[in-house]
Amino acid sequence: MTDLMGMFGTLAVNAAALIGLMVAVSPIVRRLAIKPDRHDRILLGIGFGLAGIVVMLVSVEVADGILIDGRNVAVAIASLFGGLWTGALAAVCIGGTRLLLGGDGAAFGALSTLLAWLACMAHLRFLPIDRINPANARLLLLGLLLTVATAACAFLAGLIGSWPWAVAVDVGFVYLGAGACFYTVCLIAIAKLLAREHAQVATEKSLHERDERLRALVEISYDWFWETDAEDHLSYLSARVEDVLGVHRTEFVGRSRDHLLVDTIDGDFAKSRQAVEERKPFRNLIWAVRLPAGEVRWLRCSGVPLTDAAGHFTGYLGVTTDVTEHRHAQKTIQWQASHDPLTDLPNRALFHSRLQRMLTHADSAGRRIALLFIDLDQFKRINDSFGHTVGDQLISAAAERIVGCTSPADVVARLGGDEFTVITDDLDDPIDVERIARRIISAFEAPFLLERREVYVSASVGIAIFPDNARSADALMREADAALYRAKDSGRNDFRFFTPELNEQSRERTMMESQLRRALEREELYLCYQPQIRISDSEIVGVEALLRWENEVLGLVPTPQFIALAEDSGLIVPIGAWVLETACRQIAELTKGHPPLNLAVNVSSRQFTTPGLLEAVQHALSVSGLPESALELEITESVLMADLRQTYETLEALSALGIQLSLDDFGTGYSSLSYLRRFPVNVLKIDRAFVNDVTKDAGAAAVVESIIAMAHGLKLTVVSEGVETPEQHAFMVRHGVDRGQGYLYGKPMLLKDFAEIYCAREVA
Ligand code: C2E
Ligand code: MG
Ligand code: MG
């Protein structure tokens, strides 16, 4: 009985020792549960081995050499929580020590340890166990297995040893009863201990896994992450910073965030500093840094303040992105939205906002601002003549010249087409702006070299001054525009200051355009006819149709004035078609039953660059019934100068129809006879200006003589315009000019008047 008590006491001490040991090693067990590690397993195996040795040594002997102790529990726990090899290590330590100690039962002691390990192995193999949260039923089963193994061992030892049967059975049963309780209680207690820690282990495990995932994210992220301490010193920077800034992150850790700014150039850094001082989060603040190599990078930064459990500020956690490329792209887009791609000058939108800003500034500073509107003279002619590529080259070269005439503080913008503007606030006296205007005009004196051709273009300038002429941007622009028109009207290649009367003129121009738009439908347009005579016998052989416009408000508008307006606005296309059809119809009717009369109709270059001219001519001929050979289209040199395939094809097609092509106002433009060879032109009209001078100026007479000779050489019919005097007529007779037109033979007249002369002549 005493032995029995002693034995239970021993078991209780062993149990306490083992549970204590379990408590001591539970951090290792926990670590193993999270992340199995060989080093920890070895430690655990040796630890439980030593524990088994200690409990073996302190245990009491129940019989000779027979100990009831917890060494097997040590092996079981080591196997259970560290794996079979950990258990094996513990078993080797304990069994080996038992063998070394020697004495009766040494072999059985060692054997019992081995059996315990084998029982664990069987158990673990066939009933795998959750090491973190083992089920009680399984632990009970393991306890039972150990008990049976140890009891069988003790029984065997009793039998083989010198014990009488009864003692051996006794000891066996004691083992069975006590062991069952002991092992099972020990195991369950330990399992409970672990189960309590299970929640914590699981949390730590998931935290650990989340940390791992975050680290992976940080590593692949394009951004970099940082942390500061309470003193705003960087305590962490992720590796990406090194790729972007090209500096080693250790250089920054421990330093203030400012250190990262080699040189703050621009942006929101001050805002971020203020947020940090106020312990507030900041988001998407952007600033630039200059790297040691001089390169500028733009960074976008967000940060949140961190606090500890007690609510004390511990620093900031943040993320930074390199937005340099994005910023550059944004700048490019902004640039494109506000600049003219051809000249790189500010466009209309930017010009407007700059003008507004400068006006506000000038208003408060009591300064003056001059607004110059610049327009290239007859740019449309260049564009139509040489094509858009050359036109574009001219615009950019012109922009350069204009910029060259201004100071860096002035704003030069392109408003569109061939319109430029300059805003200058650097003037104390209107004479200053006059100087700029003169400089701009003379900058256009030299020719432009475009595709190996020398092209001359002049510029006209209109000027309005704030606050003298107007106070608002819109009014100032309107007035500069009116002044520009004034400069154009008075001969171009000049500048004009705005005067109140100009306002009136520009209003008139706008009004005239709106009236002209409705002129066709209101039937305000009509044709006059001017006879052309054969010089040799003064017979009327032809007639030129000349357009007239009589408006109820404006009265009879001078033809060159509204033709220019119609060309500018594109209205010339429908008007020109109407002229063609009306002239063909009227002259076809007039000449019905008479020999055909040559009908000359003016066609503007704008009609050549707009599709549909050929169709309009065909339509006019077919509805009127006028023979093709009776129609003569008067074109100007600019049409031929265009030298465009499309123009050439139209001329060829017109010529193929059988109509005549006449070159009007010869001598005023480029006067190049080489065009005449290349194009299917039949008639050449010498400009009125030359004819006017032939009897007064020997030089003019010589020029006209040579034009006539060359034209005849090219088999062209020569028509002289503007013959006003018998002397001029005599000159034409002398030089064999074919036809004449001018006030001497007849002014442009209404159809009925022309019909009268025509029919009278027939009668005569
Ligand atoms: P143009 O084709 O050279 O027409 C001749 C112009 O000279 C006419 O002016 C005519 O009145 C004028 N004129 C004729 N003989 C004499 C003269 O002996 N002395 C003087 N001083 N002038 C004379 P108009 O009718 O004012 O036409 C001016 C220009 O307008 C025309 O010049 C032509 O280029 C254009 N034009 C007229 N009608 C049309 C048309 O239907 N379509 C187009 N596209 N242009 C037209
Ligand atoms: Mg003409
Ligand atoms: Mg003419």
Side-chain angles (χ1 to χ4, degrees):
M1 202 59 206
T2 328
D3 286 344
L4 216 58
M5 287 301 288
M7 198 167 65
F8 274 113
T10 306
L11 288 175
V13 171
N14 287 347
L18 280 167
I19 291 169
L21 176 76
M22 198 58 222
V23 172
V25 299
S26 64
I28 300 182
V29 173
R30 201 165 69 214
R31 222 161 56 212
L32 278 177
I34 298 166
K35 191 173 161 218
D37 178 84
R38 194 200 294 184
H39 185 249
D40 286 346
R41 278 179 208 276
I42 294 173
L43 264 181
L44 204 66
I46 295 174
F48 276 100
L50 287 176
I53 293 167
V54 170
V55 293
M56 182 170 73
L57 291 179
V58 298
S59 297
V60 285
E61 264 186 10
V62 224
D64 279 350
I66 307 255
L67 291 166
I68 301 244
D69 56 59
R71 73 186 106 151
N72 293 349
V73 177
V75 173
I77 296 169
S79 308
L80 203 55
F81 299 107
L84 278 175
W85 293 114
T86 308
L89 190 60
V92 168
C93 291
I94 298 166
T97 310
R98 183 66 193 93
L99 282 177
L100 282 177
L101 287 174
D104 290 345
F108 288 107
L111 181 68
S112 119
T113 310
L114 178 67
L115 281 176
W117 181 72
L118 287 174
C120 285
M121 185 168 76
H123 183 268
L124 290 178
R125 274 279 138 81
F126 300 112
L127 287 169
I129 202 158
D130 175 0
R131 288 190 200 156
I132 297 173
N133 199 13
N136 286 352
R138 294 199 177 165
L139 289 173
L140 273 172
L141 197 67
L142 180 63
L144 218 62
L145 264 176
L146 287 176
T147 309
V148 172
T150 320
C153 205
F155 187 64
L156 208 67
L159 272 190
I160 296 169
S162 51
W163 298 350
W165 261 91
V167 176
V169 171
D170 219 15
V171 170
F173 274 116
V174 167
Y175 257 109
L176 216 57
C181 294
F182 171 64
Y183 293 133
T184 312
V185 165
C186 248
L187 282 170
I188 288 177
I190 289 163
K192 290 293 158 207
L193 183 76
L194 276 179
R196 238 191 329 122
E197 289 191 352
H198 172 247
Q200 199 185 338
V201 169
T203 314
E204 278 179 26
K205 194 173 174 184
S206 83
L207 276 177
H208 178 78
E209 282 167 2
R210 208 186 61 187
D211 273 2
E212 289 291 308
R213 282 200 296 270
L214 277 177
R215 189 164 309 139
L217 260 184
V218 165
E219 253 154 49
I220 58 155
S221 173
Y222 181 77
D223 309 328
W224 71 86
F225 299 84
W226 49 267
E227 267 183 70
T228 57
D229 59 18
E231 276 76 50
D232 200 27
H233 287 160
L234 285 160
S235 52
Y236 167 77
L237 267 171
S238 66
R240 171 80 184 141
V241 71
E242 297 179 0
D243 302 342
V244 180
L245 299 187
V247 279
H248 203 276
R249 55 185 153 155
T250 50
E251 283 179 37
F252 296 106
V253 171
R255 301 193 176 198
S256 95
R257 238 168 17 107
D258 297 24
H259 187 70
L260 198 59
L261 300 166
V262 181
D263 181 6
T264 315
I265 296 164
D266 193 2
D268 306 325
F269 187 72
K271 275 193 207 161
S272 89
R273 191 178 281 151
Q274 194 186 343
V276 171
E277 273 164 19
E278 293 170 7
R279 307 286 186 250
K280 283 185 177 161
F282 58 92
R283 182 183 278 263
N284 291 339
L285 297 184
I286 294 180
W287 60 81
V289 298
R290 193 191 296 282
L291 302 184
E295 189 194 350
V296 172
R297 309 288 310 174
W298 285 87
L299 310 178
R300 185 176 59 216
C301 204
S302 302
V304 279
L306 301 174
T307 49
D308 61 15
H312 296 126
F313 171 73
T314 55
Y316 267 79
L317 176 67
V319 58
T320 300
T321 315
D322 178 16
V323 291
T324 313
E325 268 71 45
H326 180 251
R327 181 106 184 167
H328 285 167
Q330 223 176 12
K331 282 262 169 224
T332 313
I333 292 169
Q334 268 172 9
W335 173 269
Q336 284 168 347
S338 59
H339 286 77
D340 164 47
L342 189 60
T343 58
D344 275 352
L345 291 178
N347 63 13
R348 186 178 280 274
L350 183 58
F351 153 75
H352 216 275
S353 72
R354 295 246 171 112
L355 178 63
Q356 288 286 12
R357 206 172 338 138
M358 285 171 82
L359 287 182
T360 316
H361 192 250
D363 201 16
S364 55
R367 285 182 65 87
R368 274 178 158 162
I369 279 189
L371 180 64
L372 290 84
F373 266 23
I374 304 152
D375 191 285
L376 307 191
D377 297 329
Q378 294 186 303
F379 171 71
K380 219 185 296 295
R381 195 196 71 205
I382 306 278
N383 225 8
D384 291 350
S385 307
F386 298 106
H388 290 280
T389 316
V390 171
D392 284 355
Q393 287 173 6
L394 175 65
I395 290 292
S396 50
E400 275 174 31
R401 289 195 191 180
I402 295 171
V403 171
C405 300
T406 57
S407 73
D410 297 340
V411 175
V412 182
R414 180 182 176 210
L415 299 184
D418 59 339
E419 285 176 47
F420 295 90
T421 179
V422 175
I423 318 171
T424 176
D425 63 355
D426 185 23
L427 66 152
D428 301 316
D429 197 302
I431 200 80
D432 293 336
V433 66
E434 194 175 320
R435 213 169 286 137
I436 299 175
R438 282 190 198 286
R439 229 184 288 149
I440 291 172
I441 287 166
S442 50
F444 282 81
E445 276 166 12
F448 290 87
L449 192 66
L450 306 172
E451 293 194 342
R452 284 184 279 130
R453 274 188 267 210
E454 282 194 346
V455 178
Y456 286 88
V457 179
S458 57
S460 302
V461 182
I463 306 161
I465 292 176
F466 167 90
D468 311 27
N469 300 140
R471 299 194 64 84
S472 79
D474 283 344
L476 207 62
M477 284 171 69
R478 253 197 324 272
E479 300 186 343
D481 202 32
L484 174 67
Y485 268 108
R486 179 84 197 127
K488 292 233 168 221
D489 278 351
S490 50
R492 304 187 171 112
N493 193 22
D494 204 355
F495 67 91
R496 283 286 180 279
F497 278 94
F498 172 79
T499 59
E501 303 83 68
L502 285 183
N503 238 349
E504 191 48 42
Q505 284 171 10
S506 99
R507 252 200 300 277
E508 263 173 27
R509 199 182 148 84
T510 319
M511 200 267 276
M512 188 188 280
E513 192 179 318
S514 73
Q515 292 289 336
L516 187 60
R517 272 181 202 285
R518 276 167 289 171
L520 265 180
E521 63 194 62
R522 289 197 202 150
E523 300 186 352
E524 293 175 351
L525 298 174
Y526 62 93
L527 294 175
C528 273
Y529 293 93
Q530 187 177 27
Q532 283 185 359
I533 55 110
R534 190 160 47 218
I535 291 284
S536 56
D537 56 5
S538 296
E539 268 297 299
I540 298 179
V541 288
V543 67
E544 178 173 5
L546 292 161
L547 185 61
R548 297 288 177 261
W549 175 34
E550 187 162 5
N551 177 263
E552 55 177 2
V553 189
L554 302 165
L556 189 63
V557 185
T559 305
Q561 198 178 333
F562 77 82
I563 290 285
L565 195 65
E567 280 176 343
D568 282 352
S569 59
L571 283 170
I572 194 69
V573 177
I575 291 177
W578 177 86
V579 170
L580 267 168
E581 192 185 327
T582 311
C584 289
R585 200 165 25 78
Q586 292 183 340
I587 297 302
E589 263 170 39
L590 180 72
T591 55
K592 210 178 269 169
H594 302 282
L597 193 62
N598 208 61
L599 167 66
V601 176
N602 293 286
V603 180
S604 120
S605 62
R606 185 84 187 249
Q607 286 170 270
F608 270 89
T609 50
T610 316
L613 177 63
L614 185 67
E615 290 73 18
V617 171
Q618 283 172 320
H619 175 74
L621 288 171
S622 73
V623 298
S624 65
L626 189 83
E628 286 81 4
S629 59
L631 183 62
E632 190 175 295
L633 294 187
E634 294 198 1
I635 57 175
T636 51
E637 280 172 283
S638 63
V639 173
L640 303 187
M641 286 292 291
D643 209 352
L644 298 174
R645 210 165 49 112
Q646 186 204 344
T647 313
Y648 183 76
E649 283 168 4
T650 312
L651 288 170
E652 282 290 332
L654 288 169
S655 179
L657 284 181
I659 57 180
Q660 308 282 302
L661 292 172
S662 162
L663 193 58
D664 203 355
D665 304 338
F666 189 80
T668 52
Y670 302 89
S671 309
S672 166
L673 285 165
S674 66
Y675 293 112
L676 302 178
R677 271 196 304 129
R678 263 192 290 144
F679 294 102
V681 175
N682 320 88
V683 182
L684 188 140
K685 288 184 85 175
I686 306 173
D687 191 65
R688 200 168 67 224
F690 285 97
V691 177
N692 195 35
D693 291 345
V694 284
T695 50
K696 303 179 211 150
D697 174 2
V703 171
V704 173
E705 267 179 58
S706 58
I707 292 177
I708 296 166
M710 277 193 282
H712 279 157
L714 289 166
K715 308 250 176 313
L716 300 178
T717 302
V718 180
V719 181
S720 152
E721 282 186 347
V723 180
E724 292 181 353
T725 64
E727 292 76 26
Q728 288 165 353
H729 173 75
F731 179 91
M732 300 307 158
V733 173
R734 265 203 315 283
H735 292 94
V737 168
D738 304 281
R739 280 189 253 150
Q741 182 181 343
Y743 292 171
L744 182 67
Y745 318 115
K747 290 196 169 182
M749 56 194 92
L750 291 173
L751 178 69
K752 63 175 175 42
D753 300 327
F754 179 71
E756 239 168 64
I757 311 177
Y758 180 68
C759 295
R761 180 204 58 129
E762 283 284 302
V763 171

